[in-house]
Amino acid sequence: MKIRPMHQDDADAVLAIYQAGLDTGHASFETKAPSWAAFDASKLPAHRCVAVDGDGAVTGWVAVCPVSSRPVYAGVVEHSVYVDPTLHGQGVGRALLAAMIASTEAAGIWTIQSGVFPENAASLALHRRAGFRVVGVRERVGRHAAHHGRWRDVMFIERRSPAII
Ligand SMILES: CC(C)(COP(=O)(O)OP(=O)(O)OC[C@H]1O[C@@H](n2cnc3c(N)ncnc32)[C@H](O)[C@@H]1OP(=O)(O)O)[C@@H](O)C(=O)NCCC(=O)NCCS
């Protein structure tokens, strides 16, 4: 496995893996992957990575977006990580998070945050291992179209970099 920067040529594979994650119903409130143009416009170019196998096929991706335009939060981002469902449990997610943490820390970003459904055991385990903590649980914070409009809790997680003091 290799981790490398994401290119425009990766768009189809990235969005297909994104959609497969959304189809689980436990990755995000979204139900449909965005267009490449929308994805490209929302994610910071410097911190997008893909994992590729020995044949060069994309097996997963990670990307971040800013959480606020306020200068005080310039070092706070929200991330997404998605792995090909046929390759879960093989360390791809862990390698992607490690690369994104290294890349953001090198750029002076001090906090990475995300929201995870309590049912997403794999994501919670992955993030705990990568140094994220659960800040709290946002109760019934949104209604999920993929679950017939059911109100869902979201666990708010973050990793505060120990390298930036
Ligand atoms: C969450 C996700 C990215 C994890 O990626 P992955 O490549 O399968 O994870 P890894 O193999 O790198 O596992 C990382 C760690 O989490 C643990 N883990 C992974 N899946 C687990 C599971 N289902 N239950 C318990 N622990 C699990 C692994 O044991 C591993 O721990 P280790 O480092 O001590 O060995 C993947 O399941 C996925 O793409 N899910 C769909 C999209 C999604 O939910 N994204 C996150 C949105 S918040």
Side-chain angles (χ1 to χ4, degrees):
M1 184 205 331
K2 194 178 118 186
I3 307 292
R4 63 158 173 79
M6 186 188 295
H7 309 306
Q8 186 157 356
D9 286 354
D10 301 319
D12 288 350
V14 164
L15 296 181
I17 291 169
Y18 199 167
Q19 188 62 53
L22 297 180
D23 289 344
T24 66
H26 294 306
S28 166
F29 276 113
E30 304 304 322
T31 54
K32 203 167 160 16
S35 65
W36 175 253
F39 182 98
D40 193 33
S42 65
K43 310 294 187 192
L44 291 177
H47 309 293
R48 304 174 190 179
C49 297
V50 292
V52 293
D53 65 16
D55 298 326
V58 174
T59 57
W61 61 268
V62 65
V64 308
C65 52
V67 300
S68 169
S69 57
R70 292 178 63 193
V72 69
Y73 294 127
V76 183
V77 295
E78 179 156 345
H79 78 292
S80 304
V81 57
Y82 285 73
V83 173
D84 180 330
T86 65
L87 299 169
H88 285 181
Q90 296 180 27
V92 176
R94 188 175 54 220
L96 284 164
L97 277 193
M100 183 273 290
I101 289 167
S103 157
T104 51
E105 278 186 342
I109 289 169
W110 54 85
T111 292
I112 306 163
Q113 68 182 47
S114 197
V116 183
F117 290 124
E119 296 86 350
N120 196 343
S123 182
L124 290 171
L126 165 73
H127 286 98
R128 258 190 214 109
R129 293 270 196 269
F132 285 74
R133 73 183 179 103
V134 176
V135 179
V137 180
R138 309 187 71 197
E139 294 179 358
R140 294 160 54 80
V141 71
R143 302 182 78 151
H144 202 162
H147 289 260
H148 309 290
R150 172 161 76 89
W151 288 104
R152 295 193 73 176
D153 295 351
V154 169
M155 299 175 80
F156 188 77
I157 62 168
E158 73 172 13
R159 181 184 186 279
R160 175 61 173 87
S161 171
I164 299 164
I165 50 174

